[in-house]
Amino acid sequence: MSPRKRYWLMKSEPDAFSIDDLQRVGTEPWNGVRNYQARNFMRDGMKVGDGVLFYHSNTAVPGIVGVASVASPAYPDETQFDRKSHYFDPKATREQPRWFLVDVKFERKLERTIPLEEIKQHADELGEAFPLVARGSRLSVFPVTAAQWKLLLSLE
DNA sequence: GCCAACGTTGGC
DNA sequence: GCCAACGTTGGC
């Protein structure tokens, strides 16, 4: 028996990488995450086949725009070793990588964006700790329960 | 573009 | 180990 699949939400700024970009390329290494908590979720929590809600942040109408899936086990983020990369980390080495990522695979675009504004109206059901509705939270990768997953997609 | 909230860095 | 300074996130 394979372990039950988990669910996640991952934020991306559409100017940098949008759901349309993911649809075009099919699968993409989720590079550039430089937050330890988000890294830990990818490195320690994600399994191939897990569900991902694709969220657009820092845009006119922030919200959930698509469904994706985890397409690889975690492995070191190559950009941490690249001196020319914006994501270069001088403290990371091949022997001791600091940043890990997974590949994310396109599944589908939602019929419409589920705006953050609407998600907030369900804060009671989602729970105060849900990072999209928790005040001040900036976490860009976090787990979603099966119940939250179902609720959020029911808004589509 | 503003700025509140947050995470990280580094001097001490 | 504290904490001020700094850089980043992301909604608005």
Side-chain angles (χ1 to χ4, degrees):
Chain A
M1 284 281 283
S2 61
R4 186 156 175 183
K5 94 170 185 181
R6 299 181 190 176
Y7 302 97
W8 309 91
L9 185 144
M10 300 175 92
K11 295 182 187 173
S12 184
E13 301 193 11
D15 286 349
F17 190 79
S18 70
I19 188 69
D20 291 322
D21 294 323
L22 185 61
Q23 183 168 29
R24 194 173 311 118
V25 299
T27 300
E28 177 78 2
W30 203 262
N31 58 34
V33 170
R34 294 294 180 267
N35 170 280
Y36 290 106
Q37 211 181 342
R39 176 204 68 181
N40 293 348
F41 285 134
M42 288 198 287
R43 188 189 61 186
D44 308 331
M46 290 189 180
K47 295 282 183 291
V48 172
D50 284 357
V52 174
L53 295 172
F54 196 111
Y55 179 93
H56 279 175
S57 64
N58 216 348
T59 188
V61 182
I64 298 166
V65 293
V67 177
S69 63
V70 175
S72 79
Y75 62 95
D77 181 342
E78 198 59 30
T79 62
Q80 73 194 299
F81 308 124
D82 179 1
R83 294 191 164 280
K84 285 172 290 193
S85 170
H86 175 64
Y87 300 120
F88 176 67
D89 184 343
K91 292 184 180 161
T93 65
R94 294 264 174 201
E95 294 69 34
Q96 291 251 299
R98 182 183 286 203
W99 304 110
F100 290 79
L101 53 67
V102 297
D103 290 346
V104 171
K105 184 173 126 197
F106 178 81
E107 296 293 341
R108 68 182 183 90
K109 274 178 78 166
L110 299 194
E111 292 162 30
R112 67 176 191 109
T113 298
I114 301 170
L116 176 61
E117 192 181 14
E118 251 177 78
I119 294 169
K120 283 179 171 173
Q121 292 166 14
H122 297 269
D124 283 353
E125 299 144 89
L126 291 164
E128 283 179 13
F130 191 66
L132 284 187
V133 300
R135 188 173 143 276
S137 174
R138 301 176 313 179
L139 195 55
S140 66
V141 175
F142 54 84
V144 174
T145 67
Q148 289 165 340
W149 175 275
K150 191 174 166 189
L151 168 66
L152 289 166
L153 287 180
S154 78
L155 303 177
E156 181 181 7

